[in-house]
Amino acid sequence: MSQSSDTDDHCRNLFGDCTRRLDALAARWNTTRTHVALAVVLVTLSRQTADGAAHVGTGGGRSLRLAFPPGLPLREAADRVARHLPGAPGPLTVVTPNPESDLPERIEVEVAPGADGGLALRGTCAPRQMDRLVHALRHPYGPGGTVRDVPVACPADEADLRTWEHAPAPMPATTLDRAFARIARAHPERVAVRLPDAPGTPPPTRRLTYGRAEAEASLLASALVRSGVQLGEPVIVECENPARAAIDLLAVLRAGAVCVPVGRASPERARQVAGLSGARWALCAPRSRAVWERHCRLPADPEGAPARDEPAVEGCLPRSDFTETAFLLVEDGPGLPVRARLSAHTAWTSAIAARIERIGRASTGVVAGGDPSSPAGLSAMWWAFACGATLRWLGSSDPLTVPRDTGAGPPDALFPPERYGRLLDAIDPDGCGEGIGAVVLTGSPCDGDLVKRHFARSPGTRLLAEFSGDRGPLPWTARELTPADAECRLLPNAGRPSANVRLRVLDESGRSLPPGLIGEVCADGGALPYELLLRDGAMARSLTGHDLRSGRLGQLRADGSLELTGELPLG
């Protein structure tokens, strides 16, 4: 921040529209404009304190605590000030105990008559704090205004936020499927997906090469195009088998359509996803045909391949464009509206490029497991493919141990924190992470106990955390963890914004807060999706000023990193 931390006496004179508005409110509320102005000043300062209250001393030994809840009408706030501070109070000492705020521990502030019928605001604080107080006083309040209408950040704060709210980086001008195709042409025999070995199954059948995946995806994409799949049309892809999912997802993208990945679905879930996404087509496993064929068209071949007598690859492939939508991720819950998130190819390629910049290229493989349609599963898949590495899929009972290939570096691993915690619980402490170069924890924040267990069992393995406030596959912030982070119960520092992510902390009215103040963590940017609410088959853009809301409370630090402080209260 550009603000100086020095504390000095400053005086600002208020004239014109500002004082006329204060006079109008004072007349309507049957009080004085000095008390209206003091109420605005004390509300602004109280929102920057640790307990959300202004601890006021009048210099005569009397001290009082004034709390201003967000829904409190400003008229009542002015009444409280007039009741507790009658007459024309002199300088007030306001205690502001918030170590993360740039307020000094205590300041003196006074609102007094100024020259030419105006008001004079005096305060012993830095110029930026005076700017915030003056900005709050100049704000046009209506007669029914409430405490939440009082802005805290001033225009200078907004300018500072824009300078480091996100880290702009070049957006790769390619698509996920084209990046895969380049590697397939250069290294067709390289293994793209390696599945867990199954008893009685020859190893080659558990491996999918880049060349085979590219060939099958191109044929399937041609079949979809000839069947009438349109550009930008959603296509459901059942992702129970990671190797089959890779082919089907690539085919949908190659056809210029939008992937709607799902896990194994119940009939009710299939009906809901098909109806809300509007998908006419579904690619699924043979065992799921009876579920999906009630709602969507299915290819003739149960495995999703085109008929044998159909022509080869269409000449118009690939039809995808890097600026267009790649994924529609649908999420729902009991009693909640179904939420969907649309993300373009650029969001994925930008997020993956940022991860490679932080960690280094996954040269040999990316280890993952669980549900391939989950955010972590999709994130691991496209990270591996972007690096030309092997996606090594763990079975439900497989330990996190990967033998190193001769002459190659160790693979990396990516899991949500809860999955990684179960892996640590289930395996021999001495064998955890053998052959792993780095572990990336993605999604929700991790706790200090998980960090402690990781470094106790794998002291030589790097640990990185990515926070996704929407629980999606594209990270909002990222940081590397150290053994010192094990002292935190829930890691408060979620790191700095990822490249091409704009991160904000908003107050109850959707306004940006400066560093040190707690509000809801929200984000948008080129490396993130945007959110839709699905109701009765119709899509509506989220009404928040920012595209993605986290439901978490947090504050920005002066260095631009995000500190998480808790969950947003329900209701």
Side-chain angles (χ1 to χ4, degrees):
M1 303 290 288
S2 61
Q3 176 183 356
S4 170
S5 60
D6 295 334
T7 300
D8 281 316
D9 289 301
H10 295 280
C11 180
R12 303 289 177 87
N13 291 308
L14 306 174
F15 303 100
D17 290 342
C18 174
T19 55
R20 282 193 290 269
R21 284 194 295 264
L22 293 175
D23 284 337
L25 291 175
R28 191 180 186 99
W29 295 344
N30 193 27
T31 185
T32 68
R33 70 176 180 183
T34 299
H35 287 117
V36 175
L38 270 178
V40 172
V41 168
L42 293 178
V43 165
T44 306
L45 294 175
S46 70
R47 296 183 63 191
Q48 301 180 66
T49 63
D51 60 356
H55 299 257
V56 182
T58 61
R62 189 164 67 98
S63 179
L64 65 151
R65 179 181 184 272
L66 295 177
F68 303 99
L72 183 73
L74 272 178
R75 176 176 185 169
E76 293 188 25
D79 286 343
R80 289 186 184 183
V81 172
R83 186 167 59 252
H84 293 289
L85 302 170
L92 303 177
T93 301
V94 183
V95 180
T96 56
N98 184 355
E100 291 299 328
S101 171
D102 51 13
L103 276 172
E105 185 175 353
R106 63 181 62 231
I107 70 171
E108 288 188 359
V109 63
E110 180 182 13
V111 176
D116 299 326
L119 282 176
L121 173 67
R122 299 183 179 89
T124 57
C125 55
R128 178 62 57 82
Q129 284 297 336
M130 289 297 292
D131 290 342
R132 292 171 183 168
L133 297 177
V134 170
H135 181 66
L137 287 167
R138 288 175 174 167
H139 187 77
Y141 303 103
T146 64
V147 166
R148 66 167 51 93
D149 295 326
V150 178
V152 176
C154 64
D157 288 322
E158 294 285 348
D160 276 345
L161 286 170
R162 286 192 293 270
T163 63
W164 51 255
E165 65 188 357
H166 72 300
M171 302 292 278
T174 187
T175 63
L176 296 170
D177 51 297
R178 285 176 180 166
F180 187 96
R182 284 198 298 268
I183 296 169
R185 288 193 297 268
H187 307 283
E189 298 304 318
R190 183 176 294 176
V191 176
V193 182
R194 176 175 292 173
L195 302 179
D197 292 332
T201 303
T205 65
R206 313 298 294 173
R207 300 176 184 177
L208 174 68
T209 64
Y210 276 86
R212 178 187 158 201
E214 172 68 11
E216 291 196 24
S218 297
L219 288 172
L220 179 54
S222 299
L224 292 173
V225 171
R226 288 192 291 268
S227 298
V229 171
Q230 302 297 308
L231 290 171
E233 179 177 357
V235 177
I236 292 169
V237 179
E238 185 185 71
C239 297
E240 186 177 355
N241 181 299
R244 186 70 246 171
I247 295 172
D248 291 351
L249 293 172
L250 284 166
V252 172
L253 297 177
R254 189 66 51 82
V258 178
C259 298
V260 186
V262 296
R264 191 171 182 181
S266 65
E268 174 59 24
R269 169 68 172 166
R271 182 195 66 79
Q272 187 180 54
V273 171
L276 289 168
S277 67
R280 297 185 300 148
W281 280 88
L283 305 177
C284 63
R287 66 169 66 90
S288 302
R289 288 181 65 85
V291 173
W292 289 106
E293 65 186 359
R294 302 175 186 175
H295 315 290
C296 304
R297 298 177 62 191
L298 307 180
D301 189 305
E303 286 295 340
R308 298 289 183 183
D309 57 351
E310 288 188 351
V313 177
E314 287 281 341
C316 65
L317 295 180
R319 300 200 302 171
S320 57
D321 184 85
F322 69 93
T323 61
E324 294 175 352
T325 303
F327 280 90
L328 172 64
L329 303 181
V330 179
E331 176 189 334
D332 60 356
L336 298 175
V338 176
R339 295 182 181 273
R341 294 179 176 90
L342 287 166
S343 50
H345 286 271
T346 49
W348 290 79
T349 54
S350 177
I352 292 168
R355 181 181 292 156
I356 293 173
E357 179 71 20
R358 288 190 298 269
I359 303 171
R361 182 169 292 273
S363 57
T364 58
V366 174
V367 182
D371 179 3
S373 70
S374 67
L378 293 170
S379 183
M381 177 183 295
W382 295 109
W383 179 24
F385 295 164
C387 297
T390 299
L391 177 66
R392 302 170 181 260
W393 205 258
L394 295 183
S396 57
S397 59
D398 289 343
L400 185 56
T401 56
V402 180
R404 296 192 181 189
D405 296 330
T406 303
D412 299 320
L414 185 146
F415 296 101
E418 55 273 14
R419 165 77 173 172
Y420 186 54
R422 290 194 296 270
L423 281 172
L424 292 180
D425 290 338
I427 60 180
D428 181 359
D430 295 331
C432 175
E434 181 180 343
I436 301 295
V439 174
V440 179
L441 304 177
T442 187
S444 58
C446 61
D447 57 35
D449 178 65
L450 186 59
V451 178
K452 182 177 181 179
R453 289 155 58 204
H454 166 84
F455 285 109
R457 302 184 184 189
S458 301
T461 302
R462 296 173 65 192
L463 184 64
L464 299 100
E466 296 178 344
F467 168 65
S468 297
D470 62 339
R471 297 179 293 177
L474 305 175
W476 295 16
T477 66
R479 64 179 293 228
E480 182 155 0
L481 303 175
T482 67
D485 292 307
E487 303 303 319
C488 299
R489 183 184 61 82
L490 180 67
L491 292 179
N493 188 347
R496 293 179 59 84
S498 188
N500 297 311
V501 172
R502 179 167 53 249
L503 196 67
R504 290 294 185 101
V505 174
L506 306 182
D507 66 10
E508 301 89 347
S509 299
R511 291 185 296 250
S512 296
L513 293 172
L517 302 190
I518 295 175
E520 184 180 5
V521 178
C522 298
D524 68 356
L528 290 182
Y530 61 88
E531 183 179 60
L532 302 172
L533 300 182
L534 305 185
R535 292 188 179 93
D536 301 325
M539 295 187 180
R541 192 72 175 262
S542 176
L543 298 180
T544 181
H546 290 68
D547 291 326
L548 295 177
R549 299 180 60 178
S550 69
R552 292 182 179 273
L553 294 173
Q555 61 183 347
L556 294 174
R557 294 180 170 180
D559 63 355
S561 62
L562 172 67
E563 179 176 325
L564 299 172
T565 60
E567 299 284 342
L568 192 69
L570 296 177

